[in-house]
Amino acid sequence: MQPNYFDPFVLPFTLSMFALLTFLVFKYGSWIYRFGASDRKKVFKGFFSRNSWLAMKEIFMEGLLHRKIFKTNRRLGYMHMSLAFGWFLLIVVGAIEAHTFAKGSSPFYFPIFFRFFVPGTHESFFSDGFTQLMDLLLLFVLSGLFLAVLKRFKSVWVGQTKTSRKKPIDRVVLTSLWLIFPLRLLAESFTSGIHHSGGFLTGSLGTFFGVFLPINQLAYPAWWAYSLALGFFFIGLPFTRYMHIPTEMVLIFFRNWGIKLGVDNPVLMEVEINSCPKCGICIDTCQLSSMAGIHNTQSVYFIQKLRYHEDYNQVAESCLMCGRCEAVCPVAIDLNSIRLMHRADVSATREENFGFIPVQTRTADVIYFAGCMTHLTPTIKNSMVKILNASGDKYWFFDKEQGACCGRPLKLAGQLEAARELVERNRQMMMESGARMLVASCPICYKTFAEDYHLGMEVLHHSQYLERLMANKQISVEKLEVSAVYHDPCELGRGSGIYESPRAVVQNVAKLKSSVYQKENALCCGGSIAHLTLPLEKKKQIARETLRLLTVEHPQVIATGCPLCKKSFTGESGTKIMDIAELVAKALVAKPVREAAKQQKEPVYL
Amino acid sequence: MWGFNITKTRAIDFDKNNREPMMEILRLEPSIRVCIACGACTATCTSGNLTPFNIRQLNVFMQRGEYQELKKEMHKCMLCGKCTLVCPRGVNLRHLILKTREVLLNEEPLFAQN
Amino acid sequence: MTMKTIAIIGAGPAGMEASGSLARLGYHVVLIEKEATVGGHLKNLFQLFPDRRPGKEILTHLVQTIKHPGIQIKVNSEVSEVQKLDNSFALKINEETMNADAVLVTTGFDLYDATEKEEYGYGIYPNVITSADLEQMFHNGKVVTEEGKTPKRVAFIHCVGSRDEKAGNNYCSKVCCVTAVKQAIEIKELLPETEVFCYYMDIRMFGPYYEELYREAQEKWGVMFIRGKLSEASQNMDGSILMKAEDTLAGKPLRMNTDLMVLMAGMVPSASSKKVAQQFKMEEGQNRFFKSADNHYRYNESQQMGVFIAGACVAPMNITDTIANARAAAVKIDEYLKN
């Protein structure tokens, strides 16, 4: 006989689940519909490809195990893992258990309320094993919940000094989420108590409650409450940060199918915004928060403003774009790009252009581009000129006199139209020189040359160029008697992934000291031009604190590869700040000028 | 028709000038108030060395309610940030230019020259 | 009654003058100087503004002042430890301990480190010098470029490291404007054929006969004044300096080559002041100079009972004011010790 697997209390869960699924199908469907034709094609092509398997693996590693959070913070990682992976296992094991023991066909909510419908399953060792396992999993989830509650009251206990502020609706849904598992525990315990069944947790608790509580009367309301908590959570989910749970999975699929964020693809941005779990990991890592006392512009708040269509202009402008949050974001949201896309482009309607910039052409093998900032740090410029002269390369100092800007500062201010024009202008001149290589001293310029110029020639930051000159024996150096710590500039390090070349250069000319704050974990000097509004005093505050953290090993020199970093640090530092080019120029061993240099038709610029 | 020509005065007619946009610009970027007109910004400016774009002077005009010249020149700025870097008063000129563009472009009809 | 002892830290003009005054009032003074000789920055000054009196004259006068049996001078000495007692301080100097009933801090100023303004090229281009370097050239009686040539043009840059938020010094160093004018005249006297320019943001002639000196520089010596702050400098092939500024009165960017560029480096609180501030737990003002107990009535008193301050460690000051300030401090110390 088919047993009755229905009771009215399953309705809140069942109906809300249907509502949620319907909503998600429409939402995700509309995203795919609004994708451009090429992206839509990628979705259909990708669906049956190997990439879907890769996506599933990623979902398992990140969405369930939370590997990335584990890397930055173990306690927080455990909290997220026990909630996500624990819940996932509860569902999977619960479903297997239910299907093993269901008599006849069972409705889809059956596993969720299994213990209600099949209260006593002490029939075999096998079923008892399931019960114990389910209890263990519930305990696993509850341990994570315990940490989550703890975090709400005192975030430092889970290793976060600052946690994100919540909206009222977030709180309601958060409460219902928190209640789901304790209520499940109570409902299962009461039922187990009545039937003298259950595992080590629910069974013992049931017996315990039975001593002093009327569990016979309480069991049924408890199941109602459990179902209601689930119902509230699913109904509230689309309106809160918990939307990230399903959306993150979709995002991972989209990414694995090759869909990329871009100015022309605002749809993926919407997916990313909805994937933000508001975990707040980006808050602690943000130097504006930890060093300058600014607590309202971090990525989590910015994304929140976008999601709820609040006024975001000021927050969009207030970011160093150092990329520290991006580096630790567990969902790998393109936080910098999204922010950039929300800076107003008032250049789109301008009438004037950059036609006043003189057009110059010259033939050369190597183009050297110092950059605007480098002109305010002439030691770097002079060092590079000295090295270029010694290299024997036939070079053209592109912006020696009245050079134009590279265009990246415009881009960083959201002025994409104007940036495009400037890029095109410079590009023309560079292409006509017939050079095989472009060397830039400023990482800000370097990044835009490498990414936006499409020059068809090699683009190097001077650290890479110097490394190559030394490897090719185009220049020879003598190691200096100094110790140096290397400070990764944001645009060069996290921005362009160049970590090793500058270190190799420093190692060749000085004793390289390491720092906790290096490579992906490097700090921003505070001087970033990406932040449009940060007052000078705050910049200095960040510079001072960064310097303090960089010099714990007492290096004699702080070496860097960016004129702006040098400028931000100078005056705040007790330790000498030098660009790697200065170190190399100092270590340079004079040798006769090469034949190539003698034959150079263009003058060698001194 | 009376034999007079209505000639526009060369003087800055402070009371007649529309100061609303200027107040809005100063609200969005107040640091320009501490400018002491040293000119370091203009000296270092690439655009300023090649064109009449004189960021210091244009900001003086702006604060007096004179925008014609500013509107003509403001798009020549490449936002490289050197001016902000050399300013002894810590004026955020780069942001100022952005906000000036925003305000002057948005309120275009207000300044229709008569 | 036993004779009361006052420790004076720093034997520049302020410390020397105060020593003399206090000794004449009948106190025992211990004058502590970290360098081998007394005189502080005054030793480096060739002539003083506005009357162009040789710095040596004032120094000689001050040296006479401190030749008093009540003054014990300790050169090459620094206070290494301070202990606050009930009504006095125990100071450790060169492994000896002394007891001071009152302490006067006259640790003066340091010159702003002009290498920090890298775009000006000091320490990079040899023909970029500071006003202190030029003063040294006057001492030697010869003003030449690095290449040994007579400069055809000299440019003074006012406000280097002063009135500059980027340098972290928002205050005006007060004496640089008039020093530049004085040095400009000295150049013209020495090298009449040389063109001299002063690049200023505001000319601040605060003292008696300073404005007259400014006028004299224009009228008699033809010194030219350009209102604009230098933004950056670079070196030409021949070693001369290319300067970039805005001629703000013309409203246009201006470029000028010069053979010698003189940076009027401002005053910053001295390294010794910082050390002393820690030892005596004294407060710094917003400008990082010592904070007075009251800016009008208790200008020479620090926030710390029994510790007094005078001279350029309180604020940028010229020699005249420093001497007057030191005497004012002496009177305050006298009042303090008598009560």
Side-chain angles (χ1 to χ4, degrees), chain A residues 62 149 179 199 232 273-274 372 387 422 431 435 443 450 474 496 570:
Chain A
E62 302 301 341
V149 177
L179 285 173
F232 264 114
I273 290 169
N274 278 285
C372 302
I387 295 162
L422 206 49
M431 298 290 276
Q474 266 179 279
S496 307
T570 307

mmCIF file of all heavy atoms in Angstrom, chain A residues 62 149 179 199 232 273-274 372 387 422 431 435 443 450 474 496 570:
data_model
loop_
_atom_site.group_PDB
_atom_site.id
_atom_site.type_symbol
_atom_site.label_atom_id
_atom_site.label_comp_id
_atom_site.label_asym_id
_atom_site.label_seq_id
_atom_site.Cartn_x
_atom_site.Cartn_y
_atom_site.Cartn_z
ATOM 1 N N GLU A 62 34.772 25.629 -4.903
ATOM 2 C CA GLU A 62 34.565 26.991 -4.405
ATOM 3 C C GLU A 62 33.202 27.167 -3.749
ATOM 4 O O GLU A 62 33.101 27.700 -2.649
ATOM 5 C CB GLU A 62 34.738 28.010 -5.537
ATOM 6 C CG GLU A 62 36.090 27.959 -6.227
ATOM 7 C CD GLU A 62 37.253 28.194 -5.277
ATOM 8 O OE1 GLU A 62 37.047 28.740 -4.177
ATOM 9 O OE2 GLU A 62 38.384 27.814 -5.638
ATOM 10 N N VAL A 149 26.719 32.677 14.038
ATOM 11 C CA VAL A 149 26.061 33.493 15.065
ATOM 12 C C VAL A 149 27.115 34.265 15.848
ATOM 13 O O VAL A 149 26.985 35.464 16.103
ATOM 14 C CB VAL A 149 25.220 32.599 16.010
ATOM 15 C CG1 VAL A 149 24.595 33.434 17.121
ATOM 16 C CG2 VAL A 149 24.123 31.894 15.223
ATOM 17 N N LEU A 179 17.337 29.717 11.600
ATOM 18 C CA LEU A 179 16.354 28.894 12.309
ATOM 19 C C LEU A 179 16.153 27.523 11.673
ATOM 20 O O LEU A 179 15.729 26.585 12.337
ATOM 21 C CB LEU A 179 15.014 29.634 12.389
ATOM 22 C CG LEU A 179 14.993 30.788 13.411
ATOM 23 C CD1 LEU A 179 13.688 31.555 13.302
ATOM 24 C CD2 LEU A 179 15.180 30.262 14.829
ATOM 25 N N GLY A 199 19.280 9.117 15.837
ATOM 26 C CA GLY A 199 20.706 8.831 15.971
ATOM 27 C C GLY A 199 21.265 9.370 17.265
ATOM 28 O O GLY A 199 20.520 9.723 18.191
ATOM 29 N N PHE A 232 10.167 30.805 4.299
ATOM 30 C CA PHE A 232 10.601 32.210 4.389
ATOM 31 C C PHE A 232 11.928 32.410 3.669
ATOM 32 O O PHE A 232 12.128 33.374 2.934
ATOM 33 C CB PHE A 232 10.777 32.607 5.858
ATOM 34 C CG PHE A 232 9.576 33.295 6.424
ATOM 35 C CD1 PHE A 232 8.817 32.706 7.422
ATOM 36 C CD2 PHE A 232 9.213 34.545 5.944
ATOM 37 C CE1 PHE A 232 7.707 33.337 7.940
ATOM 38 C CE2 PHE A 232 8.103 35.191 6.459
ATOM 39 C CZ PHE A 232 7.344 34.586 7.453
ATOM 40 N N ILE A 273 27.088 40.692 -9.897
ATOM 41 C CA ILE A 273 26.543 41.453 -8.773
ATOM 42 C C ILE A 273 25.644 40.570 -7.920
ATOM 43 O O ILE A 273 25.679 40.604 -6.699
ATOM 44 C CB ILE A 273 25.774 42.691 -9.289
ATOM 45 C CG1 ILE A 273 26.753 43.710 -9.862
ATOM 46 C CG2 ILE A 273 24.949 43.317 -8.174
ATOM 47 C CD1 ILE A 273 26.084 44.828 -10.631
ATOM 48 N N ASN A 274 24.864 39.719 -8.601
ATOM 49 C CA ASN A 274 23.967 38.833 -7.868
ATOM 50 C C ASN A 274 24.702 37.653 -7.232
ATOM 51 O O ASN A 274 24.124 36.918 -6.447
ATOM 52 C CB ASN A 274 22.866 38.318 -8.798
ATOM 53 C CG ASN A 274 21.741 39.316 -8.938
ATOM 54 O OD1 ASN A 274 20.933 39.478 -8.041
ATOM 55 N ND2 ASN A 274 21.723 40.028 -10.045
ATOM 56 N N CYS A 372 54.258 60.366 -17.474
ATOM 57 C CA CYS A 372 54.105 61.676 -16.815
ATOM 58 C C CYS A 372 54.748 61.688 -15.437
ATOM 59 O O CYS A 372 55.501 62.595 -15.089
ATOM 60 C CB CYS A 372 52.640 62.017 -16.675
ATOM 61 S SG CYS A 372 51.756 62.053 -18.227
ATOM 62 N N ILE A 387 71.147 53.742 -18.583
ATOM 63 C CA ILE A 387 71.147 52.307 -18.901
ATOM 64 C C ILE A 387 70.905 52.081 -20.387
ATOM 65 O O ILE A 387 71.582 51.277 -21.023
ATOM 66 C CB ILE A 387 70.074 51.578 -18.061
ATOM 67 C CG1 ILE A 387 70.431 51.653 -16.569
ATOM 68 C CG2 ILE A 387 69.930 50.133 -18.501
ATOM 69 C CD1 ILE A 387 69.282 51.356 -15.629
ATOM 70 N N LEU A 422 43.233 59.125 -27.292
ATOM 71 C CA LEU A 422 44.638 59.323 -26.942
ATOM 72 C C LEU A 422 45.452 58.087 -27.303
ATOM 73 O O LEU A 422 46.549 58.179 -27.869
ATOM 74 C CB LEU A 422 44.719 59.604 -25.433
ATOM 75 C CG LEU A 422 45.894 60.404 -24.919
ATOM 76 C CD1 LEU A 422 46.103 61.658 -25.740
ATOM 77 C CD2 LEU A 422 45.647 60.772 -23.450
ATOM 78 N N MET A 431 53.709 52.977 -33.961
ATOM 79 C CA MET A 431 53.750 52.003 -35.048
ATOM 80 C C MET A 431 54.676 52.467 -36.163
ATOM 81 O O MET A 431 55.404 51.681 -36.762
ATOM 82 C CB MET A 431 52.342 51.797 -35.618
ATOM 83 C CG MET A 431 51.342 51.242 -34.636
ATOM 84 S SD MET A 431 51.642 49.545 -34.209
ATOM 85 C CE MET A 431 50.838 48.716 -35.573
ATOM 86 N N ALA A 435 59.630 50.164 -34.412
ATOM 87 C CA ALA A 435 60.351 49.577 -33.282
ATOM 88 C C ALA A 435 59.875 48.156 -33.033
ATOM 89 O O ALA A 435 58.762 47.784 -33.393
ATOM 90 C CB ALA A 435 60.144 50.425 -32.040
ATOM 91 N N PRO A 443 54.240 51.624 -14.365
ATOM 92 C CA PRO A 443 53.327 50.488 -14.496
ATOM 93 C C PRO A 443 51.934 50.873 -14.977
ATOM 94 O O PRO A 443 51.249 50.065 -15.595
ATOM 95 C CB PRO A 443 53.249 49.926 -13.075
ATOM 96 C CG PRO A 443 54.480 50.396 -12.407
ATOM 97 C CD PRO A 443 54.787 51.728 -13.010
ATOM 98 N N ALA A 450 50.151 47.358 -22.779
ATOM 99 C CA ALA A 450 50.073 45.913 -22.968
ATOM 100 C C ALA A 450 48.649 45.466 -23.292
ATOM 101 O O ALA A 450 48.451 44.536 -24.057
ATOM 102 C CB ALA A 450 50.572 45.200 -21.719
ATOM 103 N N GLN A 474 74.065 42.681 -22.118
ATOM 104 C CA GLN A 474 74.127 43.974 -22.799
ATOM 105 C C GLN A 474 74.639 45.040 -21.827
ATOM 106 O O GLN A 474 75.217 46.026 -22.229
ATOM 107 C CB GLN A 474 72.743 44.363 -23.316
ATOM 108 C CG GLN A 474 72.514 43.951 -24.760
ATOM 109 C CD GLN A 474 71.126 44.338 -25.211
ATOM 110 O OE1 GLN A 474 70.159 43.641 -24.929
ATOM 111 N NE2 GLN A 474 71.019 45.446 -25.909
ATOM 112 N N SER A 496 49.193 43.418 -13.499
ATOM 113 C CA SER A 496 49.758 42.836 -14.714
ATOM 114 C C SER A 496 50.445 41.501 -14.477
ATOM 115 O O SER A 496 50.994 40.912 -15.406
ATOM 116 C CB SER A 496 50.778 43.805 -15.337
ATOM 117 O OG SER A 496 50.204 45.073 -15.526
ATOM 118 N N THR A 570 58.162 58.939 -0.579
ATOM 119 C CA THR A 570 59.194 59.915 -0.239
ATOM 120 C C THR A 570 58.613 60.969 0.697
ATOM 121 O O THR A 570 57.525 61.456 0.492
ATOM 122 C CB THR A 570 59.735 60.598 -1.508
ATOM 123 O OG1 THR A 570 60.134 59.577 -2.407
ATOM 124 C CG2 THR A 570 60.929 61.486 -1.193
#
